[in-house]
Amino acid sequence: MDRKTATIQDVARVAGVSTATVSRTLSKPSVVAESTREAVLSAVAETGYRINSTASNLRRQRTGSVIALIPNLANPFFSQILAGMSSVLAPAQLGLLVADTQTGTDPEARLADFLQSGQADGLVLFDGTMSPGALDLPGRPPVLMACEWMGGDLPSIRVDNARGAEMAVAHLADVGHRAIGHVTGPPGNVLTETRLSGFQRGLTRHGLQARADWVFGGDFSMDSGAAAARRWLALDDRPTALFCASDEMAIGFMGAVQHAGIRVPEDLSIVGFDNIDVVAHLTPALTTIRQPRTVIGVRAAELLVDMIDAGSLTGPSEVVEVEFIPRKSVAPPRAARG
Amino acid sequence: MDRKTATIQDVARVAGVSTATVSRTLSKPSVVAESTREAVLSAVAETGYRINSTASNLRRQRTGSVIALIPNLANPFFSQILAGMSSVLAPAQLGLLVADTQTGTDPEARLADFLQSGQADGLVLFDGTMSPGALDLPGRPPVLMACEWMGGDLPSIRVDNARGAEMAVAHLADVGHRAIGHVTGPPGNVLTETRLSGFQRGLTRHGLQARADWVFGGDFSMDSGAAAARRWLALDDRPTALFCASDEMAIGFMGAVQHAGIRVPEDLSIVGFDNIDVVAHLTPALTTIRQPRTVIGVRAAELLVDMIDAGSLTGPSEVVEVEFIPRKSVAPPRAARG
DNA sequence: ACAAAAGATGAAATCGTTTACAACAGATTT
DNA sequence: AAATCTGTTGTAAACGATTTCATCTTTTGT
């Protein structure tokens, strides 16, 4: 049969028309006559022709794919976001390339490389730890920040992190906690900062004071949550409730304190952030702040596609709502019960 | 400065050489004279030239990327595998495209589409639920099966699932369990079948018998694990230990029974499969069978790249070792202790 | 019935590379 | 001194599509 895959030339020959007509039949069928359209389509079927996207892309000066640049690909937080992105990119005939920023030695150089390589029509950047100037490159494609963001006025999609943190604190205060601690993300990260400031605002709104020895530095990982728990255990005067800036840290924290014989929520209340899938199945199920990850992925892709279609480097920013998910890891403090 | 990005023509003009020489300087520097090489490189620097990969790919009849086809992109199990793949593909100048198979209506059609679209130089398929003939397409690129597999002699990478299951059962039997149950994956899945057969072989090796009412159908998800737990709770004559075919199901199962007041491991021992990150932080930490996901990703990419370089549709298969990870979710049964 | 508009098609240029081939210089062999 | 070889470079033809422009029919309007 066909040694090689058929080209548009083959189709044209079989259909008895020019390559221009074949191309038109496939891209804007309305402009070709009905009879020729049928001839072309049956020739396509006969030859098994598939459009060569590389050639098409070259001629049309595009690449047919977008890149999702993630801090760390191994982080399962992003898988659902990728799924959301994929669900809008696939119908738009765009491929989804993935790569991570924190893998090599120089993240900014890696970003610059992707921006200039011309491998993608657009880029979704999930890493906010770049210097603002890192995007000042001639001829770069549109970039959308997602989840994290950085200085400048880049279009972005994110949740209201401060508000989420405030909701967490509010709930803890409402059930009677006066001694509330916090486990933060890594220093310098925007999510760390906004969630911390939301935490503090929540405290002051409830007439509480932040205590420096009650905020524990972490890095969003489970291990860092466990490490924070060990510092909490070593305290003489412990907070009775904790807001962790990520579910992963909450998991690590809760596991470590339970291991030490502390009961959650009887002895300690914990609230997480993200609502990753697993936390609903923990014992106790974790109370947390939900980030709608699928929605974030979908909207990120949609916003980026809009920018690509408009040929614009700028675009709107969007913030999607977080949601408080009450479960079983929060209870009134002992004092309030006793 | 530069309105558009510089092309090889621009570099050639600036360096005072032909485009052929520029191309050679960049691809095989050894064949051009030292002096011209310098001239070209400085012209490259001056113009800020970046090779246009689309044009290059078209000419070289390749695409510069590979696709990872995953059953469900939202499944975090794969994120670490992707990270492993990325770490070998990036240095090889190959992009990593991701897509899922179970999202649309017809997974096989979707697979065929990817195979014929010419969007990738190779494909790693993580979904074994395809009919063996689904790959009989003319001119398709090399395909490597990973984790799952299907009939035929496709090159593949996977773990020894049966052996892993057998290790789990052996450990449970060794600590004294005689009543061991199993939560399976979805019907028809190769992992379901091999892990089930390993489970059964483990039982018979220890002189135990499989009981039909002690194997619970699941689908690898946490929810299905919780559902299985509810069936287990309804039993009059319960097994004292359970081997779950995935960590996710083990998490769901454990959460549900704990919620019902059952203590793990005192009342019930549980072993999982996969060793996903979170299980080390559960209470109790989950005993499980480790699949080296990063290694799987790395080797998958390496094997595929070998096939691509060799231009061959066939290649070796590899099975990587599983590892038994003892933690805290297994204890001798009550009878053996009392 | 004639001009003008509309509709359908094809010829050929173009996108930006890579590479087979030819050409040429200088060095080496006979 | 002619012939051969080696090393370096340029010319030009691909790769496979899309799209501008021109051409040739048909309709339509007056």
Side-chain angles (χ1 to χ4, degrees), chain A residues 171 247 265 270-271 274-282 284-290 324-331:
Chain A
H171 179 249
D247 279 352
I270 300 181
V271 180
D274 285 346
N275 192 38
I276 63 177
D277 291 337
V278 73
V279 299
H281 295 272
L282 298 179
L286 187 72
T287 293
T288 193
I289 307 294
R290 184 173 96 97
F324 177 71
I325 309 281
R327 283 199 272 250
K328 304 290 183 190
S329 63
V330 172

Side-chain angles (χ1 to χ4, degrees), chain A residues 239-255:
Chain A
T240 60
L242 268 163
F243 163 54
C244 296
S246 77
D247 279 352
E248 301 226 350
M249 293 195 295
I251 291 171
F253 199 106
M254 186 162 84

